[in-house]
């Protein structure tokens, strides 16, 4: 990877041998390894020691989870908040594992819609709850750094499964509890728009 970064610096018109850039290939390689470490994480291992049987059937919400990811179209960061809720049947996931789950999927090359769905699907497949809801709000640097009129725009995506899809009241309760930055809460499986890949 370091050799590729050196080549990239040259292609950008830089001198990879000048003092400030000499260690850049090493640093960039290390940064990318960290930012894509989700590929090497084992979801089962992350979750398996943290599943508990409980007698609780109300909504569990973990909100305002900070996440940082890289868009797969531009390799530029997108980042924001993730809100997760589920209604357990018999098993719950240790609360601290929910942010960890978000992190594992965020530290890959992503589009926001897929990231949202992967988090929801994993929770559904792991504990078979009555429903799962995931909402993500993110700023995409490929939009805000490049487009003059898009600096303050952010994308909202949501995945609503089971009771959150079928029961309007459950969904509204969740959306009320997380209070989105945006005026209109997303009602469909994916609302909003991630970065535009063709540009
Ligand atoms: Zn992008």
């Amino acid at each position: 990877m370091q050799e590729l970064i050196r080549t990239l610096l040259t292609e950008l018109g830089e001198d990879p041998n000048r003092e400030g850039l000499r260690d850049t290939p090493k640093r960039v390689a290390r940064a990318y390894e960290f930012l894509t470490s989700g590929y090497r994480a084992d979801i089962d291992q992350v979750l398996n020691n943290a599943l508990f049987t409980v007698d609780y059937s109300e909504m569990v919400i973990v909100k305002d989870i900070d996440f940082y990811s890289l868009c797969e179209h531009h390799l530029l960061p997108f980042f924001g908040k993730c809100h997760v809720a589920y209604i357990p049947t018999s098993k719950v996931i240790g609360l601290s594992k929910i942010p960890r789950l978000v992190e594992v999927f965020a530290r890959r090359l992503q589009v926001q819609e897929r990231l949202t769905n992967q988090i929801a699907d994993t929770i559904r497949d792991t504990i078979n709850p009555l429903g799962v809801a995931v909402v993500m709000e993110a700023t995409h640097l490929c939009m805000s750094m490049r487009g003059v009129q898009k600096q303050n725009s952010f994308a909202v995506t949501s995945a609503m499964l089971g009771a959150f899809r079928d029961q309007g009241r459950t969904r509204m309760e969740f959306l009320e509890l997380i209070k989105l930055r945006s005026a209109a809460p997303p009602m469909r499986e994916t609302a909003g728009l991630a970065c535009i890949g063709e540009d």
Side-chain angles (χ1 to χ4, degrees):
M1 204 182 324
Q2 292 186 38
E3 203 41 55
L4 288 170
I5 306 296
R6 274 183 69 84
T7 307
L8 176 64
L9 289 170
T10 307
E11 289 291 323
L12 292 174
E14 267 291 356
D15 170 15
N17 293 315
R18 74 175 171 84
E19 200 189 343
L21 293 178
R22 218 175 290 149
D23 289 329
T24 296
K26 200 193 299 174
R27 282 189 292 258
V28 172
R30 230 184 276 142
Y32 271 115
E33 268 163 35
F34 177 76
L35 297 175
T36 60
S37 57
Y39 288 119
R40 295 172 291 283
D42 183 348
I43 292 286
D44 290 338
Q45 223 169 15
V46 169
L47 295 179
N48 264 351
N49 295 327
L51 303 180
F52 307 102
T53 304
V54 291
D55 188 18
Y56 183 80
S57 56
E58 299 298 317
M59 195 184 295
V60 176
I61 299 186
V62 183
K63 61 181 222 171
D64 293 328
I65 301 166
D66 290 310
F67 74 92
Y68 297 85
S69 190
L70 289 173
C71 90
E72 67 181 16
H73 300 135
H74 303 94
L75 303 188
L76 287 171
F78 68 96
F79 55 92
K81 302 270 185 203
C82 175
H83 316 286
V84 175
Y86 65 91
I87 302 171
T89 44
S90 63
K91 283 199 186 309
V92 296
I93 299 173
L95 287 180
S96 69
K97 296 296 178 174
I98 303 282
R100 177 77 184 113
L101 179 67
V102 173
E103 191 179 75
V104 165
F105 285 116
R107 286 189 186 154
R108 301 177 184 192
L109 304 185
Q110 284 286 8
V111 295
Q112 189 179 327
E113 292 90 337
R114 185 175 64 227
L115 175 57
T116 308
N117 285 332
Q118 284 175 335
I119 295 162
D121 291 348
T122 301
I123 294 171
R124 178 197 59 200
D125 297 345
T126 306
I127 56 169
N128 190 31
L130 282 180
V132 185
V134 177
V135 170
M136 305 190 89
E137 318 169 68
T139 300
H140 290 245
L141 288 192
C142 59
M143 288 170 73
S144 47
M145 285 181 81
R146 300 185 315 150
V148 182
Q149 285 150 2
K150 299 172 185 165
Q151 271 141 349
N152 296 312
S153 70
F154 57 93
V156 181
T157 50
S158 70
M160 302 284 170
L161 306 178
F164 289 94
R165 168 180 289 276
D166 305 333
Q167 297 168 21
R169 262 183 58 192
T170 305
R171 186 170 56 236
M172 287 316 295
E173 186 189 342
F174 166 64
L175 292 172
E176 182 62 28
L177 284 165
I178 63 171
K179 287 255 194 282
L180 291 176
R181 278 186 295 175
S182 57
M187 295 301 293
R188 294 177 312 166
E189 186 170 4
T190 45
L193 165 85
C195 69
I196 292 140
E198 301 84 59
D199 290 4

